[in-house]
Amino acid sequence: RMHAFQGNKKEAFRYLTAYSKRGFNWGWDDFILIDPFFESLREDPEFKSIVQQAQEDKAALKAQVREMEERGERTI
């Protein structure tokens, strides 16, 4: 966050990439889209790619949960 805010894109992307590989937690993939600290990165293709991949991963997990619910393997 601080690297992005300070304009240090290289370090910001290094951390974002590492964090995304572990899986964004607690909605961070949505939060960084509105967090002013990431304003300097939002139009960068690398940022867009990281966010898109995180959102695709989240959608895939949601689909797996729905399938489990449909098979009766998981209940709310």
Side-chain angles (χ1 to χ4, degrees):
R1 227 176 141 217
M2 290 307 300
H3 290 294
F5 181 70
Q6 293 171 342
N8 187 350
K9 289 184 176 186
K10 182 179 179 181
E11 283 299 299
F13 283 128
R14 186 171 74 84
Y15 280 98
L16 277 173
T17 299
Y19 192 59
S20 70
K21 286 180 182 178
R22 290 193 312 258
F24 282 100
N25 295 321
W26 307 102
W28 263 90
D29 56 311
D30 294 320
F31 180 68
I32 62 176
L33 292 172
I34 60 169
D35 184 354
F37 279 62
F38 291 95
E39 184 65 35
S40 67
L41 304 180
R42 285 211 185 90
E43 296 305 316
D44 191 292
E46 187 173 358
F47 180 82
K48 291 178 180 183
S49 176
I50 289 169
V51 172
Q52 179 179 353
Q53 185 62 53
Q55 291 177 335
E56 289 172 3
D57 292 346
K58 183 170 56 176
L61 286 173
K62 285 181 179 180
Q64 286 178 334
V65 169
R66 278 193 300 275
E67 290 171 9
M68 290 173 68
E69 289 172 339
E70 290 170 3
R71 292 190 304 261
E73 296 172 7
R74 181 189 178 279
T75 59
I76 298 176

